[in-house]
Amino acid sequence: MYEERLSLLDTPISYLKGVGPKRAEVLGKELNLFTFSDLLHHFPFRYVDKTKLYVIRDITPDTQYIQLRGTIIGIEAINDGKTAKRFTATLRDQEGSLIELIWFKGISYMQQYIRRNTDYMVFGKPNFFKQKVSIAHPEMEMISEETDLSLDNRFEAIYSSTEKLRTQNLDSRGIHRLIKTLWERIGEQDLPEILPPDLLKTYQLMGRHAAYRNIHLPDNDQVIAKAEYRLKFDEFFLIQMRLLRQKTDRHHRLIGFKFDKVGDYFNTFYHQHLPFELTGAQKRVVKDIRRDTMTGMQMNRLVQGDVGSGKTMVALLAMLIALDNGFQTCMMAPTEILAQQHYEKLTELVQPIGLKVELLTGSVKGKKRRLLLESLQLGIIHILIGTHALLEDEVSFKNLGLVVVDEQHRFGVAQRARLWQKNEQPPHILVVTATPIPRTLAMTLYGDLDVSVIDELPPGRKPIVTYHARESQRLRVFGFIREELNKGRQTYIVYPLINESEKMSYQNLMDGYESISRAFPPPEFQISIVHGQMSAADKDFEMQRFKNRETHIMVATTVIEVGVDVPNASLMLIESAERFGLSQLHQLRGRVGRGAEQSYCVLMSGDKLTADGKRRLQTMVETNDGFQISEVDMELRGPGDMQGTQQSGMLQMRIANLAKDQQILQNARNAAADLLQNDPNLQQPEHTALLRYLQTADRQQGQSEWSRIS
Ligand code: ADP
Ligand code: MG
């Protein structure tokens, strides 16, 4: 019965009355709508209040979407190749006032549909421009003898459509008609309640069937909000159920190496060679790792910590525990520079306890590579640091017990899965990321991982002071740089990569370099330059010079974003800062403030800034907290466009929004956790519908890739 009714929603869309093969094809191509279910989940993006008919005279600059009725008295198409193509129509209402309607797209269709001396209903948002009022791309409906003006819905849903769809008469209203037709066929049984009654009550949720009806065919705006809430809740809840079930499942099923002791490597290092006292947060995370790895389950832990919070040391201590238990470890970094730096740093740190650390990147070739791979297999190498090169099949360990993945978000999901498979028994995985992401995003992207946060910086660090400066203040900024240099500090000056043209970026950088060379001439000042078109060896050479204080200023593109650790550098000047995204600005700023001195970041921008640009720079000036910055970033860019999340299909939500619906997500997560706590296997009768629903969804999606990552 259940299965049979489900199949109604799986029906191909062409079987819907009014669709047919041609329209079905366009719906599939343009909107990815293939089945009844897809159509049902094509949610409106806003509503028009049709309880009111406006007159043009009443429109003010604050007027939102409105409904007008009137006669078209003039039309004009501009299409002469010089001016932008557009189509305009003048509408006169009952009082004789005029308004201009404008289209820049879908012109040929509109030219056919809009006729002089004919009456239309018009829906749209008025704009004021030079005292004239107009509506761009309004929804139009011709009024004929047969038009039924007693509209059956007082709030009409507006759907996204496309030009191609409009040629098939599937504008918003056309789609709305299809959904009405579909709704007539859908009964309560097709959208059975899947949440148990007590949960519905606790979170005051509208019933599932009612929610779908009211999102498409609402009677008033109160029900819209409730329907929206329920559907967003469902979307989050189902994701959280899957993530949490995977997590418990993994905990039960996956056997991991048991690190049952802490031995000499760890103890000797910790008590005799640790260069500083760990912060409370570092200690907490090391304890988390210790607890995970002694249970006999496989660890999958994400460590989030801001730049400079000391994640490397935590990773090293975790590796020492693995080594104490007779295992090898490896650490994977996203770039050669970073791998190289980890290699140098770790080699130096573990030198007194006699561990063998090696570096494997694409540039290790020939005999050296063969030897390295051999000793890896023999178990002679304790710690292998590397880039993507570690993923290649030829890289095999004797007994890999722990993998540390640094800056994890730069790796694709599939790549991580490969790492995972390097052993018959999966190694423990510690993912370390320096890009803080909002809590809601972490809950969704990493909901199946255990997460630790290093939310404390090593003591004695002074917060970086950030200024925003305009071109007109350049002389003062240069004066400031000079002051810092005279104190014996060093400075970074970073230029943006201008994506459209590599040549232009390069030119930009070189022009900057020249003007800086003039302002800070030798022999008093030495300048390094590093950019993406240099060979790795040349880059290294320059970075090394800067590190050794042979040069005072490092002029660079964003290649230094991850990579250099020069505690004596106390000033970061970012040119055209408005061109950078927030997380990149934060990463760049993190290159300073690594020593004991007061550090500064100067964000140089043009005089004209967009609202977003202004907000980004202001946020940087106001806070050093990466988590807070990431929240603003998500708000500005949307979750799908944030650094590192592009590959996640999970963020493509149908109705919920990770930036705006944080509270709903938190509720859904709590609800899912409570429910699983009471009934881990969903065996109670009131959970049967939910269990069936999840099973069907799993079957349909297959075991998706992300369920087995890191
Ligand atoms: P992250 O990788 O989190 O950005 P690092 O591990 O590179 O940070 O550490 C940043 C700097 O802080 C390094 O120079 C490191 O030696 C130092 N550091 C780390 N932990 C501490 C600590 N507990 N006390 C003092 N300095 C520390
Ligand atoms: Mg680091």
Side-chain angles (χ1 to χ4, degrees):
M1 174 70 180
Y2 187 83
E3 296 290 329
E4 198 180 303
R5 294 303 309 190
L6 256 189
S7 66
L8 174 80
L9 288 182
D10 292 334
T11 312
I13 205 164
S14 57
Y15 287 83
L16 188 67
K17 198 169 135 235
V19 176
K22 181 71 201 157
R23 281 181 155 188
E25 191 191 321
V26 185
L27 284 165
K29 274 207 180 118
E30 295 287 297
L31 297 175
N32 281 323
L33 305 182
F34 300 101
T35 63
F36 285 11
S37 172
D38 292 339
L39 180 62
L40 188 67
H41 287 94
H42 185 58
F43 295 120
F45 62 93
R46 69 180 159 77
Y47 300 84
V48 271
D49 179 356
K50 296 202 168 168
T51 54
K52 286 199 197 91
L53 191 61
Y54 267 74
V55 288
I56 296 166
R57 188 162 45 96
D58 289 343
I59 296 175
T60 71
D62 296 328
T63 305
Q64 295 300 308
Y65 291 91
I66 54 162
Q67 169 175 248
L68 293 168
R69 182 183 173 166
T71 312
I72 295 293
I73 57 161
I75 49 185
E76 185 186 11
I78 297 177
N79 201 358
D80 63 1
K82 279 184 205 147
T83 335
K85 278 188 202 168
R86 75 194 148 108
F87 176 67
T88 60
T90 308
L91 183 92
R92 188 181 60 207
D93 69 8
Q94 300 92 307
E95 297 185 338
S97 322
L98 304 182
I99 191 169
E100 189 162 84
L101 311 174
I102 309 172
W103 288 267
F104 302 99
K105 286 188 287 188
I107 293 173
S108 52
Y109 172 68
M110 279 302 157
Q111 269 175 315
Q112 287 169 30
Y113 188 68
I114 306 295
R115 303 197 192 123
R116 217 186 292 260
N117 299 323
T118 308
D119 284 9
Y120 290 83
M121 298 296 284
V122 178
F123 311 92
K125 186 178 182 318
N127 306 307
F128 271 82
F129 185 69
K130 293 186 180 160
Q131 310 292 330
K132 262 181 80 178
V133 54
S134 64
I135 302 181
H137 290 270
E139 294 276 337
M140 303 291 288
E141 184 166 72
M142 196 186 289
I143 299 170
S144 61
E145 309 263 298
E146 303 94 69
T147 311
D148 180 8
L149 287 176
S150 63
L151 293 155
D152 49 354
N153 275 291
R154 305 192 301 156
F155 278 78
E156 187 172 295
I158 304 293
Y159 298 87
S160 57
S161 176
T162 68
E163 194 169 334
K164 279 223 178 70
L165 281 162
R166 277 189 277 271
T167 64
Q168 296 295 315
N169 259 329
L170 291 175
D171 57 3
S172 169
R173 313 202 93 205
I175 291 172
H176 193 48
R177 267 191 292 275
L178 292 185
I179 286 177
K180 269 190 205 158
T181 310
L182 173 62
W183 191 256
E184 281 159 19
R185 294 187 56 182
I186 292 180
E188 289 267 354
Q189 330 82 292
D190 297 305
L191 292 166
E193 188 50 71
I194 52 175
L195 299 181
D198 57 334
L199 199 157
L200 292 175
K201 203 161 149 243
T202 310
Y203 294 95
Q204 300 184 346
L205 298 172
M206 180 183 267
R208 184 156 176 262
H209 179 267
Y212 279 98
R213 178 185 146 73
N214 285 309
I215 202 81
H216 291 296
L217 308 160
D219 292 326
N220 59 56
D221 53 355
Q222 283 97 349
V223 288
I224 296 175
K226 292 217 82 172
E228 228 174 57
Y229 190 94
R230 166 65 204 256
L231 295 170
K232 288 176 173 180
F233 187 96
D234 274 13
E235 196 163 31
F236 284 139
F237 179 80
L238 295 168
I239 292 174
Q240 292 303 324
M241 280 301 282
R242 296 180 76 179
L243 291 170
L244 291 171
R245 288 177 83 212
Q246 272 162 19
K247 187 164 155 179
T248 16
D249 190 42
R250 204 189 59 229
H251 282 180
H252 288 150
R253 201 164 39 86
L254 278 187
I255 303 176
F257 297 119
K258 199 163 175 176
F259 294 172
D260 37 29
K261 63 167 187 264
V262 171
D264 284 349
Y265 287 135
F266 186 97
N267 285 326
T268 311
F269 181 81
Y270 194 87
H271 296 295
Q272 294 171 27
H273 305 291
L274 196 63
F276 37 66
E277 168 92 7
L278 292 188
T279 63
Q282 283 172 316
K283 283 185 192 160
R284 194 160 28 80
V285 178
V286 173
K287 272 189 198 138
D288 286 344
I289 294 166
R290 171 84 186 109
R291 197 169 357 90
D292 285 353
T293 52
M294 64 194 282
T295 55
M297 296 184 300
Q298 186 224 3
M299 172 175 75
N300 267 276
R301 185 166 285 280
L302 173 77
V303 177
Q304 276 203 77
D306 222 331
V307 249
S309 60
K311 296 180 293 294
T312 314
M313 186 51 73
V314 169
L316 172 60
L317 292 169
M319 294 198 274
L320 294 181
I321 297 175
L323 292 164
D324 274 337
N325 288 275
F327 291 95
Q328 291 170 293
T329 67
C330 72
M331 182 185 229
M332 188 160 78
T335 63
E336 283 212 14
I337 295 175
L338 198 57
Q340 174 79 33
Q341 189 178 297
H342 280 313
Y343 170 70
E344 283 165 17
K345 192 154 196 174
L346 293 183
T347 307
E348 189 189 314
L349 282 167
V350 302
Q351 190 264 333
I353 53 172
L355 290 174
K356 191 158 173 60
V357 186
E358 285 292 346
L359 177 68
L360 181 66
T361 64
S363 31
V364 178
K365 294 202 173 85
K367 187 165 170 218
K368 200 170 164 207
R369 188 181 188 91
R370 258 202 328 278
L371 268 174
L372 192 151
L373 292 174
E374 254 174 52
S375 36
L376 189 64
Q377 231 167 10
L378 292 172
I380 298 167
I381 295 173
H382 296 106
I383 300 176
L384 182 65
I385 315 278
T387 52
H388 296 77
L390 296 189
L391 295 171
E392 281 158 32
D393 289 334
E394 58 170 4
V395 181
S396 72
F397 295 79
K398 183 170 177 226
N399 59 351
L400 179 62
L402 168 73
V403 176
V404 178
V405 183
D406 193 11
E407 300 278 342
Q408 162 273 350
H409 61 275
R410 285 161 196 250
F411 290 103
V413 165
Q415 290 175 320
R416 273 179 282 152
R418 281 176 66 181
L419 245 190
W420 217 81
Q421 289 154 4
K422 284 220 168 271
N423 277 15
E424 224 151 88
Q425 195 169 329
H428 294 296
I429 309 266
L430 187 67
V431 175
V432 169
T433 169
T435 306
I437 57 171
R439 233 166 39 88
T440 54
L441 203 55
M443 257 189 249
T444 307
L445 278 175
Y446 307 120
D448 63 331
L449 302 186
D450 297 302
V451 179
S452 302
V453 177
I454 307 186
D455 51 5
E456 184 185 350
L457 293 182
R461 296 257 172 90
K462 301 193 179 78
I464 301 163
V465 176
T466 302
Y467 302 108
H468 172 202
R470 316 246 175 186
E471 202 47 52
S472 52
Q473 295 160 295
R474 184 171 288 279
L475 276 181
R476 273 184 63 196
V477 171
F478 278 7
F480 184 53
I481 295 179
R482 188 176 280 269
E483 270 173 44
E484 284 297 297
L485 294 178
N486 286 340
K487 287 188 213 158
R489 316 273 147 69
Q490 289 161 285
T491 295
Y492 294 106
I493 302 181
V494 177
Y495 287 84
L497 270 182
I498 303 164
N499 282 334
E500 307 94 68
S501 149
E502 220 177 289
K503 242 191 183 152
M504 240 172 85
S505 310
Y506 183 72
Q507 197 49 47
N508 199 30
L509 179 77
M510 285 308 165
D511 291 349
Y513 177 71
E514 261 176 42
S515 81
I516 287 156
S517 306
R518 276 194 300 275
F520 301 95
E524 194 183 356
F525 300 107
Q526 299 295 329
I527 305 177
S528 279
I529 182 163
V530 167
H531 56 81
Q533 292 176 9
M534 287 162 67
S535 73
D538 290 349
K539 271 190 243 173
D540 267 7
F541 178 77
E542 280 304 318
M543 287 204 181
Q544 213 53 51
R545 290 208 314 144
F546 186 64
K547 234 176 171 167
N548 299 342
R549 301 202 196 182
E550 288 162 37
T551 58
H552 307 98
I553 299 176
M554 161 73 81
V555 175
T557 54
T558 49
V559 290
I560 64 149
E561 184 188 336
V562 286
V564 254
D565 185 10
V566 181
N568 188 51
S570 65
L571 179 56
M572 165 69 64
L573 172 65
I574 303 176
E575 294 283 353
S576 306
E578 73 272 27
R579 286 175 176 271
F580 291 90
L582 262 177
S583 91
Q584 214 174 12
L585 288 172
H586 180 62
Q587 294 286 319
L588 284 169
R589 180 169 61 183
R591 294 302 107 201
V592 296
R594 304 193 145 230
E597 306 303 336
Q598 175 63 56
S599 288
Y600 302 92
C601 174
V602 179
L603 306 168
M604 202 73 175
S605 82
D607 288 323
K608 271 197 188 143
L609 291 175
T610 62
D612 276 11
K614 215 178 264 171
R615 179 91 191 279
R616 285 198 297 271
L617 300 186
Q618 201 180 345
T619 304
M620 289 297 294
V621 170
E622 281 167 7
T623 182
N624 277 300
D625 180 340
F627 286 94
Q628 216 171 313
I629 290 170
S630 75
E631 296 281 351
V632 178
D633 198 23
M634 181 160 84
E635 206 183 297
L636 293 177
R637 291 213 264 184
D641 285 329
M642 292 184 59
Q643 200 180 4
T645 60
Q646 290 87 339
Q647 67 226 9
S648 177
M650 238 189 319
L651 298 180
Q652 283 154 19
M653 307 226 179
R654 284 173 141 150
I655 187 164
N657 178 316
L658 281 166
K660 295 188 185 129
D661 302 320
Q662 307 198 1
Q663 190 55 51
I664 307 178
L665 169 55
Q666 187 63 61
N667 289 348
R669 170 104 173 166
N670 294 346
D674 289 348
L675 194 149
L676 286 172
Q677 170 101 32
N678 289 330
D679 185 13
N681 297 315
L682 303 179
Q683 307 221 292
Q684 291 165 20
E686 68 267 31
H687 299 150
T688 307
L690 177 60
L691 180 63
R692 289 233 188 102
Y693 184 86
L694 290 169
Q695 285 168 340
T696 312
D698 278 348
R699 251 204 319 281
Q700 280 170 353
Q701 299 205 339
Q703 265 297 65
S704 54
E705 242 189 327
W706 47 268
S707 65
R708 278 202 78 214
I709 57 150
S710 33

